[in-house]
Amino acid sequence: MTLTAGGDIERLVRLLSRLPGMGPRSARRAALALLTQPQARLVPLAHAMEAAARNVRTCSVCGTLDSHDPCAICADPQRDHGLVCVVETVGDLWALERAVIHRGVYQVLGGTLSALSGRGPDDLNTRSLFERVRSGEVREVILALGATVEGATTAHWLHERLAPTGVAVTRVGHGVPIGGSLDVLDDGTLAAALSARRPA
Amino acid sequence: MEWDAPSLVLSRRPYGEADVIVRLFYEEHGVLAGLVRGGASRKQSSLWLPGNLVASSWRARLPTQLGYVTGEPIQSIAGRLLDSPLALALLASEISIADGGLPEHEAQPVVFAELVRLVTAIGVFADAPPVALAVRWEASLLAALGYGLTLDRCAITGDRDDLVYVSPRTGRAVSRAGAGQWIDRLLPLPPFMISSEDDGTPSDWLQGLQLTGHFLARHLFGVRHLPLPEERERLVHLVRRLSEESYCQPGG
């Protein structure tokens, strides 16, 4: 990268450009926006990042990120602790929380079974899920994993492991997206939508 | 170089945020890797699922380079099987065997045609997955790569009847009479491996998977110090469970 600026700015741009959604050009724009208003933008951001680095940790119950352990969701008595939604990543958990549609708690696996990525059953964050199920507090586990070969394989594997415990295991539906029309869907999605049909 | 042809998606892995690197199996060009721009996008992600048949275009300056790939769907198998554990495991297993076992840039038209036939059958018969056909495909893959099993006559007596074992060393069939004192060391040969009219039972499938698994592990994966893919181990696990369930059922 060629910048007509000092080493500190170059370092800031280089670090910003490694973030998801950022390339060298957008990193330069972000750095410039921060540096031109240091008191309003840069210093608060630096403090927030330092605080996050110091305080944010992985929840020992569900595996999400929070400044407290257990996290705010797991510690919330208003939540339904008998309803556990299993998701692949923290980003999936945030998506469900944004939609305000799940009032239970979560389990973040940290990935799916994938031989290509070298991720086996031992690499998934499932121990605390099985502990919660064994303790008897869970009545239903919702498998909200991706509609991919790896996601479905992981869902089947979890179902197989959970079935002997007697807990109800459900999974999110696959099919026609809201606002979507049938003619643009691939035949796999159409087949999933048809096989998951229900009385009108 | 530019090739436009149907290809089977063998694997995909993320490259950056929006792109994926796929490995495609072509009839005339064998296995090739390529970069798909925007392959991880909402629009394209369902296209590049392993097991899908795609009309793809592969471009590169040299054949040995990582090409640029674009594609249109011909047949989306994977999306149909997400609710069928055995069919999904069967598809993932055989695709991972092809991905790990086939050499790059080597045309294998027979293996390609039989694999397309197999994945189509898995998609059509998701409720009763064609495990016997998959085991036969693995045997045909071994044969295409020079490690074929000889199952038409007994290696000891020359008999063509009552062939019930295979030598784990040579891959040649052995009859019941010829097994003699080596019977404990031989691999069982299920009848469906000899007769294409017989689809076998779950316990036959298990024996077939153990038979081809032995030679796949030895000749294709073991030589590179790799274990068989985990997807195949999962298939064996599911077939074993099915075999035990059918054994426990009355009349099973």
Side-chain angles (χ1 to χ4, degrees):
Chain A
M1 183 192 318
T2 308
L3 263 179
T4 54
D8 289 341
I9 298 177
E10 195 171 323
R11 185 159 164 257
L12 177 63
V13 171
R14 196 172 61 244
L15 290 172
L16 285 172
S17 70
R18 289 183 194 163
L19 296 175
M22 302 279 265
R25 187 186 291 265
S26 48
R28 273 198 296 274
R29 288 176 58 205
L32 194 59
L34 292 168
L35 292 165
T36 49
Q37 290 181 290
Q39 291 307 318
R41 289 178 174 171
L42 184 60
V43 173
L45 179 67
H47 287 160
M49 291 175 87
E50 192 189 350
R54 196 172 50 241
N55 298 328
V56 173
R57 63 201 77 177
T58 302
C59 173
S60 58
V61 179
C62 70
T64 192
L65 297 171
D66 201 287
S67 354
H68 300 96
D69 185 14
C71 67
I73 295 172
C74 292
D76 185 351
Q78 302 297 316
R79 291 268 183 170
D80 183 353
H81 289 253
L83 188 61
V84 180
C85 183
V86 179
V87 293
E88 189 182 329
T89 64
V90 176
D92 297 337
L93 184 155
W94 289 350
L96 283 165
E97 282 299 289
R98 272 199 311 274
V100 202
I101 43 175
H102 176 61
R103 295 308 299 161
V105 291
Y106 294 91
Q107 180 75 24
V108 181
L109 295 182
T112 50
L113 296 175
S114 168
L116 199 64
S117 309
R119 208 165 29 240
D122 295 339
D123 302 309
L124 300 183
N125 176 35
T126 53
R127 193 162 58 177
S128 60
L129 172 67
F130 294 126
E131 281 171 7
R132 280 194 275 177
V133 168
R134 271 195 296 271
S135 74
E137 65 174 311
V138 178
R139 64 174 192 286
E140 181 178 346
V141 174
I142 305 167
L143 302 175
L145 301 171
T148 60
V149 174
E150 293 89 358
T153 301
T154 309
H156 292 313
W157 177 80
L158 272 173
H159 187 197
E160 196 182 307
R161 295 285 306 273
L162 290 167
T165 65
V167 70
V169 182
T170 55
R171 66 152 181 80
V172 292
H174 303 139
V176 184
I178 302 295
S181 58
L182 294 184
D183 62 334
V184 295
L185 292 183
D186 65 285
D187 51 357
T189 307
L190 278 173
L194 271 180
S195 67
R197 68 189 182 278
R198 58 185 181 186
Chain B
M1 319 254 33
E2 183 173 342
W3 292 307
D4 291 298
S7 62
L8 266 171
V9 182
L10 297 185
S11 64
R12 67 163 181 182
R13 58 193 165 91
Y15 183 78
E17 285 176 65
D19 307 332
V20 292
I21 291 177
V22 292
R23 276 166 57 84
L24 303 171
F25 183 23
Y26 288 90
E27 184 175 18
E28 292 183 9
H29 311 292
V31 177
L32 301 176
L35 176 72
V36 184
R37 293 278 185 211
S41 66
R42 195 179 297 176
K43 188 179 169 192
Q44 286 200 63
S45 59
S46 64
L47 176 63
W48 303 105
L49 288 177
N52 282 355
L53 190 63
V54 176
S56 62
S57 170
W58 187 95
R59 290 183 186 82
R61 196 167 57 82
L62 298 169
T64 50
Q65 288 177 322
L66 179 76
Y68 286 100
V69 175
T70 55
E72 291 287 329
I74 297 177
Q75 186 172 256
S76 297
I77 298 294
R80 298 181 195 178
L81 308 178
L82 299 182
D83 290 335
S84 313
L86 184 59
L88 188 69
L90 187 62
L91 178 77
S93 164
E94 301 317 295
I95 290 295
S96 67
I97 289 289
D99 189 36
L102 284 166
E104 287 194 350
H105 301 285
E106 192 176 302
Q108 293 288 352
V110 176
V111 176
F112 176 84
E114 290 185 357
L115 186 56
V116 170
R117 187 171 150 239
L118 173 63
V119 296
T120 305
I122 294 172
V124 172
F125 303 109
D127 295 333
V131 183
L133 189 63
V135 176
R136 288 191 204 110
W137 175 78
E138 289 182 348
S140 120
L141 173 70
L142 283 165
L145 297 178
Y147 306 108
L149 308 178
T150 310
L151 305 179
D152 59 341
R153 65 169 57 201
C154 175
I156 310 292
T157 63
D159 289 345
R160 290 182 180 275
D161 300 321
D162 205 22
L163 301 172
V164 288
Y165 299 106
V166 172
S167 162
R169 196 174 64 80
T170 63
R172 297 174 69 186
V174 178
S175 67
R176 199 182 308 272
Q181 59 182 315
W182 298 284
I183 194 163
D184 294 337
R185 298 188 194 176
L186 300 173
L187 297 166
L189 173 62
F192 76 82
M193 294 285 286
I194 302 171
S195 163
S196 59
E197 291 169 8
D198 184 356
D199 281 337
T201 62
S203 57
D204 291 337
W205 301 341
L206 184 61
Q207 288 182 345
L209 287 169
Q210 286 166 340
L211 174 64
T212 49
H214 171 82
F215 293 101
L216 287 169
R218 184 172 162 189
H219 296 304
L220 299 194
F221 291 86
V223 290
R224 289 183 284 139
H225 306 286
L226 293 172
L228 284 176
E230 276 197 25
E231 288 88 345
R232 195 179 188 282
E233 301 300 335
R234 175 161 172 78
L235 173 67
V236 171
H237 165 75
L238 290 180
V239 171
R240 178 176 288 119
R241 213 181 60 181
L242 199 63
S243 154
E244 287 165 0
E245 282 170 7
S246 61
Y247 182 76
C248 292
Q249 281 171 2

